[in-house]
């Protein structure tokens, strides 16, 4: 849902900035690489130290590169399969860094093995959710399902909760620190539901495609039995 509406809004907002970068000679691929590097740095430097507010601010500043690079490519008329591949691949790297940084915090100073495991599950399930759609499409299926929690929802829920939890260091009430654990559980459960939705959809679509292919295949003529074979005459 967020992919549909948020992308349209931010694309309009960021179009002038994308045009400026193009005039400065910056390539879409460079924006993709710099954005991913910023997200990874923000997640793996700040989150393991428990600096959730500043980590979220840093990540948020760079995560918009995912919208800017595509906008730049469309404006410059240089959209390509390589650009789409690079963008999708580095999205997985950025997501892994965010949940990996949270897992490092809970495995270390956060001292909560359960939330460490939940963070790792969010990391892994997010990768698998993306893979199921990509793999289904690669075998010719539409995978026509959005799912309960996709990448945009995972990021928004996690980063908003992390940023608000980080306000505790600035004197916010202690209960605000509970937002991040709650968000991680929500993302974990939502990702599991989304994964099931996509697997069920791929199974249904593959069965329909196989049935349609079988119905369209020409039927083979019946094989000739020995009784149908003309007998050879013994005449010369």
């Amino acid at each position: 849902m967020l992919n549909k509406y948020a992308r349209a809004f931010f694309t309009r907002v960021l179009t002038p900035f994308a045009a400026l970068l193009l005039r400065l000679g910056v390539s879409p691929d460079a924006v993709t690489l710099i954005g991913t590097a910023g997200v990874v740095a923000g997640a793996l430097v700040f989150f393991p130290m428990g600096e959730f507010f500043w980590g979220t601010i840093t990540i948020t500043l760079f995560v918009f590169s995912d919208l800017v690079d595509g906008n730049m490519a469309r404006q410059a008329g240089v959209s390509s399969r390589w650009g789409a591949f690079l963008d999708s691949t580095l999205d997985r790297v950025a997501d892994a860094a965010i949940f990996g940084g949270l897992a490092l915090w809970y495995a270390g100073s956060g001292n909560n093995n359960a939330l460490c495991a939940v963070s790792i599950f969010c990391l892994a399930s997010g990768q698998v959710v993306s893979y199921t759609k990509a793999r289904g499409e690669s075998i010719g299926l539409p995978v026509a399902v959005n799912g309960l929690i996709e990448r945009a929802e995972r990021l928004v829920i996690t980063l908003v909760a992390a940023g608000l939890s980080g306000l505790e260091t600035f004197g916010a009430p202690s209960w605000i620190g509970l937002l991040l654990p709650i968000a991680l559980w929500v993302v974990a459960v939502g990702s599991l539901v989304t994964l099931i939705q996509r697997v069920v959809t791929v199974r249904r679509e593959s069965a329909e495609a196989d049935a349609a292919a079988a119905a369209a295949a020409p039927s083979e003529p019946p094989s000739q039995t020995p009784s149908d074979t003309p007998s050879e005459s013994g005449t010369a």
Side-chain angles (χ1 to χ4, degrees):
M1 185 183 302
L2 287 177
N3 275 333
K4 179 179 179 181
Y5 297 105
R7 275 187 174 272
F9 171 76
F10 284 111
T11 294
R12 291 194 298 270
V13 171
L14 295 173
T15 293
F17 180 62
L20 173 62
L21 292 177
L22 287 172
R23 289 196 296 271
L24 294 176
V26 180
S27 71
D29 286 353
V31 172
T32 303
L33 291 168
I34 293 171
T36 303
V39 171
V40 170
L44 296 183
V45 171
F46 291 104
F47 281 179
M49 296 189 300
E51 294 288 345
F52 298 130
F53 179 79
W54 294 115
T56 299
I57 294 297
T58 303
I59 292 168
T60 303
L61 290 175
F62 284 99
V63 82
F64 282 107
S65 66
D66 188 44
L67 299 175
V68 174
D69 55 5
N71 195 316
M72 292 172 65
R74 287 189 293 273
Q75 288 191 49
V78 293
S79 297
S80 65
R81 290 182 176 87
W82 161 250
F85 169 81
L86 181 67
D87 185 59
S88 180
T89 300
L90 293 184
D91 281 350
R92 308 288 84 74
V93 174
D95 293 357
I98 291 170
F99 290 105
L102 293 173
L104 287 173
W105 160 251
Y106 287 117
S109 301
N111 193 28
N112 192 317
N113 289 337
L115 288 176
C116 175
V118 173
S119 299
I120 293 173
F121 180 83
C122 290
L123 189 163
S125 60
Q127 306 294 317
V128 177
V129 164
S130 297
Y131 175 79
T132 53
K133 186 173 180 65
R135 182 58 178 151
E137 291 175 342
S138 75
I139 58 176
L141 301 175
V143 195
V145 60
N146 290 325
L148 180 63
I149 291 186
E150 297 186 320
R151 183 173 188 258
E153 287 85 0
R154 289 196 303 271
L155 290 181
V156 169
I157 293 171
T158 303
L159 293 179
V160 168
L164 292 175
S165 295
L167 293 176
E168 188 175 357
T169 60
F170 296 95
S174 59
W175 59 262
I176 204 168
L178 298 174
L179 294 178
L180 181 55
I182 292 171
L184 289 174
W185 279 105
V186 169
V187 170
V189 173
S191 296
L192 179 60
V193 171
T194 303
L195 176 59
I196 294 172
Q197 287 176 302
R198 289 193 173 178
V199 170
V200 169
T201 299
V202 169
R203 179 172 176 78
R204 174 179 52 78
E205 290 178 348
S206 62
E208 292 172 352
D210 291 342
S219 58
E220 296 182 0
S223 59
Q224 196 175 53
T225 63
S227 61
D228 297 327
T229 305
S231 59
E232 295 181 0
S233 64
T235 58

